[in-house]
Amino acid sequence: MSQAHYSEEDELPKLESISNAVKCEQTGHIMEAILLYEESIFKLNQLANSDPKKQQLYLKYLKMYEARANQLRDQVKAHLHSSKMLEHITIERDARGRGYQRLLGAYFNDSVKEAHLNEPQLCEQHHFKNLVNFLEVLVKSCRYLKYIRLTTRPDLALPKNQLHILQQIRADLATGNIHMNFQLDETLHDRKIVLSSGVVIKIGRGLHYFEPCEHLYTLGLCDFDFRKCLATEVDVWKCRAFAKPLRQQPEHPVYQPTAPKDIEQRAHQGMPSIYSSE
């Protein structure tokens, strides 16, 4: 039986995660590129299992992307291997003045182009309030921030509510030209913040080291420096930067929202998106 001939370029599925992984790698967003390659590998493996006729083609590209992802992982591991501790902070119970800006603001600067956040607990209302306050500080301080990757555990009780809130946050960040991906991992336990500048921050309680406000109208509702803290430990490590250095990037206002009309124009022009979170 003769085998059908086809062009690999025509038959290879146009997976958005693949094209965005390549673009992220080319622009120096190594950590985001690794995760997008991993998404591509997963999707290509599904396609290979569902379409035996093209399985060989899919597996060919799957192996290629696996090899590239491994190379990038080795690069990141080499950077982490040479890391050194910058700071160890002990936060005592009932301490105040430990908002995200005061605690971590020294590490949020123009050298941060992408940030990865592992926060297992994002279910309760106060969890999401902490997340939003943290993102406000991060975005305001890092003028060249382009990518945020959030990993958390799925909320088994109210999965739709969790998904809805994360999608709202992602959409709001997109109006300021910041792309946020989020993924759900049932096995996640590690709490850490990894910045493309090479800074790795580990907080024992993650983002949730604050005691909830006792009343609605009380100091600490908006300014977290007024909130009492729970006891926890913070370790800050520094290694080589994961992203390429900035190259004559133009100055621009902090978090300048894009008008809805501009968003529609970019959508019609086929502006790439890395919002896939499957």
Side-chain angles (χ1 to χ4, degrees):
M1 180 179 294
S2 60
Q3 189 174 8
H5 295 281
Y6 49 79
S7 166
E8 291 188 355
E9 184 177 353
D10 294 336
E11 295 296 327
L12 184 66
K14 298 183 185 300
L15 295 181
E16 196 171 25
S17 55
I18 292 176
S19 60
N20 286 315
V22 174
K23 290 175 183 177
C24 283
E25 185 179 351
Q26 291 173 342
T27 54
H29 301 288
I30 303 302
M31 295 186 295
E32 183 67 12
I34 292 172
L35 291 168
L36 287 168
Y37 277 129
E38 290 175 350
E39 290 180 11
S40 304
I41 291 165
F42 177 76
K43 292 175 182 177
L44 282 172
N45 191 49
Q46 286 184 318
L47 289 170
N49 292 331
S50 62
D51 191 349
K53 292 182 180 180
K54 300 177 185 177
Q55 187 176 62
Q56 187 174 358
L57 174 65
Y58 293 149
L59 291 177
K60 171 187 173 181
Y61 281 92
L62 186 150
K63 291 179 180 179
M64 182 172 66
Y65 294 128
E66 279 183 338
R68 188 56 190 151
N70 285 333
Q71 288 177 344
L72 295 178
R73 286 192 203 99
D74 290 341
Q75 179 180 330
V76 170
K77 286 179 181 178
H79 288 203
L80 291 173
H81 184 70
S82 60
S83 64
K84 62 179 181 178
M85 181 176 286
L86 292 181
E87 194 173 10
H88 174 79
I89 304 169
T90 298
I91 300 179
E92 298 180 353
R93 183 176 181 84
D94 293 335
R96 297 181 189 267
R98 294 295 189 174
Y100 301 122
Q101 180 64 53
R102 284 198 179 185
L103 183 66
L104 308 174
Y107 307 105
F108 295 164
N109 50 50
D110 289 356
S111 64
V112 178
K113 301 170 69 177
E114 59 180 315
H116 288 227
L117 171 64
N118 283 8
E119 177 48 68
Q121 290 186 311
L122 284 177
C123 301
E124 304 294 334
Q125 186 179 30
H126 69 276
H127 292 162
F128 291 108
K129 288 182 177 180
N130 290 346
L131 173 63
V132 169
N133 187 274
F134 170 80
L135 292 176
E136 287 174 343
V137 173
L138 180 69
V139 171
K140 185 176 181 179
S141 303
C142 305
R143 294 186 300 164
Y144 299 110
L145 183 68
K146 297 298 293 182
Y147 298 97
I148 298 174
R149 166 74 66 159
L150 169 66
T151 304
T152 188
R153 286 204 300 254
D155 182 356
L156 301 180
L158 296 170
K160 291 184 178 180
N161 180 66
Q162 182 189 46
L163 183 61
H164 176 67
I165 294 174
L166 292 176
Q167 288 174 336
Q168 278 189 324
I169 295 173
R170 181 174 66 184
D172 191 40
L173 286 167
T175 66
N177 294 321
I178 296 175
H179 305 288
M180 186 185 92
N181 268 352
F182 61 86
Q183 58 187 143
L184 305 178
D185 183 351
E186 295 179 355
T187 65
L188 182 67
H189 294 284
D190 191 25
R191 294 170 169 85
K192 65 181 177 181
I193 303 161
V194 182
L195 307 176
S196 59
S197 58
V199 172
V200 180
I201 302 165
K202 296 185 178 182
I203 307 174
R205 293 181 179 271
L207 297 183
H208 313 312
Y209 59 89
F210 299 103
E211 294 184 11
C213 292
E214 296 181 1
H215 309 288
L216 180 59
Y217 301 105
T218 183
L219 295 182
L221 180 64
C222 299
D223 188 342
F224 281 28
D225 281 336
F226 288 101
R227 291 197 179 190
K228 291 182 179 180
C229 294
L230 300 168
T232 192
E233 304 286 328
V234 182
D235 289 324
V236 182
W237 299 78
K238 181 69 169 72
C239 62
R240 290 169 55 196
F242 299 115
K244 295 178 182 178
L246 296 173
R247 293 184 180 179
Q248 298 179 347
Q249 299 206 36
E251 294 288 334
H252 61 83
V254 175
Y255 190 58
Q256 181 178 2
T258 305
K261 182 178 180 181
D262 293 335
I263 295 175
E264 293 179 3
Q265 289 175 349
R266 290 205 310 274
H268 290 307
Q269 292 170 357
M271 183 178 182
S273 169
I274 57 170
Y275 290 170
S276 174
S277 304
E278 292 84 25

